[in-house]
Amino acid sequence: MGFFSKVKKLWGGGDTVEQAPVQNGEAAPQPIESTPAPEVEAPQAKATEAPATVPACPPVEAQPKAALETLSDEWKAELEASLRGSRARISEWLGLLLKGLGAADEALWTRLRFLFTTLGAPQAEAEAFINEFKSWLAAMNLCKVEDFRSELRYRLILSLDLEQEEEERTNVFQKLTKGLSKTRERLSAGLGALFGRPGELDDTFWEELEELFIMADVGSEATRKLIGNLRARARSMGVTQSARFREVLGRELDELFPLPKKSKVAAPPEVVMMIGVNGVGKTTTIAKLAYRARLQGRKVLIAAGDTFRAAAIGQLEIWAGRVGAGIFAKSEGSDPAAVAFEAVDLAMKEGYDLVLLDTAGRLHTKVNLMEELRKIKRVLEKKHPGAPHKSVLVIDATTGQNALSQTKLFHEAIGVDEIVLTKLDGTAKGGVMVGVAITHKLPISFVGLGEKMEDLRPFVGEDFAKALLGE
């Protein structure tokens, strides 16, 4: 669901797409503070500040008046024509929106209003989008087009629900291909030799294939299962020659990854429990998920449930301020279950529709980590029936076999609904994705393809298979 509750999609037939109403037509929620005392009343949200003013930019080279008037007519006509095309072209739209502009000024806001009006977006929500982008520019002290182009593109993609459109799928696929380059290099020489040689799928072929998978950090147990599946698929497809095996492997990888299930939330808020060991990127993943949700129109509360790590609370407070989410925190050493309980209580009272709950990855006490997490789940269920609606495990792709071990440990102890795989960019251990999917049959919902907010993207199994095999 995009940011706008109703958008008239001119591309693809001109139908009006009705979506569930969003709850935040107002400015970003401010951070929420709490005291460590257990019996105090729920903290109140701070007053919402007025939208910030975009910093003044250095003067840009002026254009002749006649040229500006012609340009003014050109962008509008060209943008309207592009919007009426057969499919969404976000890069083309962005280029026309920014055509001739050097900085964020009134001309940009006029053009964005024209875009949203043409798409049939509610005026109040269009103004909310513009005001939030202005606030972001002010906070980041940016004004030049080249400095904010990428951010504006990402906001438009999520707000207009364009992430699964052809152009953006291609863009993400290119990032995924780049991220898997080292894993592909590790596999490609061996696979190329196997696929390129004449002969049948004999025992030597299967032994060499098994060795390649283990070298790519698929894992020994997962590799055995994968080899068994591939043998059965080859028989069912009638493939007996190594030269045709690429087709068998591609088909198996296409169908290997289960799709994430949609959360069943009887009443807001949706509560997502984030789990994983320290160092896997859990804090930044929470921030990126909160940012995505905010850009899609959701009111987000981050709950700082990792009370055993000194820097965890402070980091989340900083991130919440950056991404425009609320924050609920207590003092270091507080009972994590109490943090979870009070955070959900606040979210229900204040009208949040998503709670992202951070949890510890390691405890400095004699309390067992898994028992602590089970206690949090029990408390959440008592406070808000159905919660947590999802338990999301964050694992680090660069750790290879350790990531597989962590998945097994958390899944057996408390149950995992989805996986977020971080640091995929540049690692040679991308085969861990195959190991997780085939061993635990868990869906991978997002993958981290870089440091930026926009680099946490939905995982698509078909695209992974193509990127891994170099197709």
Side-chain angles (χ1 to χ4, degrees):
M1 182 181 72
F3 177 85
F4 299 106
S5 59
K6 179 181 179 183
V7 172
K8 184 179 181 181
K9 286 193 175 182
L10 300 182
W11 59 94
D15 294 330
T16 297
V17 178
E18 297 283 353
Q19 296 179 330
V22 297
Q23 295 189 17
N24 72 322
E26 71 280 353
Q30 299 301 304
I32 298 170
E33 298 177 350
S34 65
T35 65
E39 299 298 329
V40 297
E41 295 180 357
Q44 299 299 310
K46 293 181 179 178
T48 301
E49 299 176 359
T53 302
V54 178
C57 293
V60 295
E61 184 178 351
Q63 298 187 48
K65 182 178 180 180
L68 288 173
E69 290 176 350
T70 302
L71 186 61
S72 177
D73 293 336
E74 283 180 356
W75 76 263
K76 185 177 293 186
E78 291 174 0
L79 180 56
E80 191 168 20
S82 180
L83 289 169
R84 295 187 182 280
S86 60
R87 69 172 188 263
R89 298 176 182 272
I90 186 64
S91 295
E92 184 175 296
W93 299 351
L94 188 64
L96 293 170
L97 281 170
L98 301 177
K99 186 176 182 180
L101 301 183
D105 53 22
E106 193 55 41
L108 175 59
W109 318 132
T110 298
R111 294 184 182 193
L112 283 172
R113 289 186 183 102
F114 176 81
L115 169 68
F116 297 142
T117 299
T118 306
L119 292 175
Q123 182 179 354
E125 294 176 13
E127 291 301 318
F129 178 98
I130 292 171
N131 286 335
E132 289 194 12
F133 188 54
K134 285 181 179 179
S135 296
W136 180 84
L137 289 172
M140 301 299 293
N141 197 31
L142 299 176
C143 59
K144 293 183 179 180
V145 166
E146 59 266 30
D147 294 333
F148 66 73
R149 177 188 288 267
S150 177
E151 174 70 17
L152 180 56
R153 184 182 191 278
Y154 185 53
R155 285 173 176 252
L156 288 171
I157 286 168
L158 290 184
S159 299
L160 297 173
D161 199 18
L162 297 178
E163 209 162 22
Q164 295 305 314
E165 295 291 336
E166 180 180 346
E167 179 186 330
E168 186 57 17
R169 279 280 301 274
T170 300
N171 178 59
V172 176
F173 175 74
Q174 290 171 348
K175 286 188 175 183
L176 182 61
T177 300
K178 183 178 179 180
L180 285 170
S181 59
K182 291 185 179 180
T183 303
R184 189 170 57 253
E185 288 171 7
R186 177 175 283 189
L187 277 172
S188 61
L191 288 177
L194 280 176
F195 297 160
R197 73 184 188 187
E200 296 186 349
L201 303 179
D202 53 18
D203 290 343
T204 301
F205 175 92
W206 292 112
E207 289 172 3
E208 291 183 19
L209 184 62
E210 181 177 0
E211 183 178 347
L212 284 173
F213 287 151
I214 291 176
M215 290 291 292
D217 279 273
V218 173
S220 56
E221 180 183 353
T223 293
R224 287 193 294 273
K225 291 182 180 180
L226 181 57
I227 292 294
N229 291 352
L230 289 169
R231 283 178 178 269
R233 187 175 291 275
R235 286 193 298 270
S236 66
M237 292 175 63
V239 174
T240 59
Q241 301 295 312
S242 56
R244 286 192 56 202
F245 189 75
R246 178 183 291 272
E247 180 183 352
V248 177
L249 179 58
R251 188 82 62 85
E252 180 67 25
L253 291 178
D254 280 351
E255 300 176 9
L256 180 61
F257 299 96
L259 295 174
K261 295 179 181 179
K262 187 175 181 179
S263 299
K264 295 180 179 179
V265 184
E270 177 185 3
V271 180
V272 178
M273 186 172 168
M274 305 295 297
I275 57 180
V277 302
N278 292 346
V280 296
K282 182 153 50 72
T283 302
T284 52
T285 296
I286 289 171
K288 290 177 180 180
L289 290 173
Y291 194 56
R292 286 179 58 88
R294 287 282 297 112
L295 297 186
Q296 291 172 324
R298 306 185 75 181
K299 189 176 180 182
V300 183
L301 179 67
I302 297 174
D306 183 1
T307 61
F308 296 95
R309 187 165 62 89
I313 297 172
Q315 288 173 344
L316 282 179
E317 288 174 340
I318 292 171
W319 275 118
R322 288 178 181 176
V323 305
I327 177 74
F328 183 88
K330 296 171 73 72
S331 62
E332 182 183 346
S334 298
D335 181 2
V339 172
F341 184 93
E342 293 178 35
V344 172
D345 181 63
L346 177 65
M348 295 170 71
K349 292 177 180 177
E350 298 292 332
Y352 286 92
D353 54 18
L354 175 63
V355 176
L356 295 173
L357 173 63
D358 188 21
T359 61
R362 181 169 63 90
L363 300 185
H364 303 302
T365 66
K366 295 181 180 180
V367 179
N368 180 273
L369 173 61
M370 297 306 165
E371 182 52 44
E372 187 70 39
L373 295 176
R374 284 191 284 265
K375 176 184 174 183
I376 293 173
K377 292 188 72 172
R378 291 193 300 269
V379 167
L380 287 172
E381 170 64 27
K382 182 177 180 180
K383 174 61 184 175
H384 186 40
H389 301 96
K390 283 193 295 190
S391 292
V392 178
L393 175 66
V394 182
I395 57 176
D396 179 348
T398 64
T399 61
Q401 294 303 295
N402 281 339
L404 284 173
S405 300
Q406 291 161 22
T407 302
K408 180 179 181 182
L409 179 65
F410 279 95
H411 191 41
E412 290 179 348
I414 61 171
V416 173
D417 298 303
E418 294 178 12
I419 299 285
V420 173
L421 188 71
T422 64
K423 308 176 189 178
L424 184 62
D425 52 313
T427 181
K429 300 180 179 181
V432 67
M433 302 172 78
V434 176
V436 166
I438 198 167
T439 303
H440 303 290
K441 302 188 185 303
L442 291 171
I444 299 171
S445 52
F446 292 94
V447 289
L449 301 173
E451 298 290 333
K452 297 179 181 179
M453 284 288 173
E454 63 192 69
D455 291 329
L456 183 71
R457 291 305 185 102
F459 174 74
V460 180
E462 179 184 357
D463 291 347
F464 169 80
K466 292 178 179 178
L468 185 63
L469 296 176
E471 297 179 2

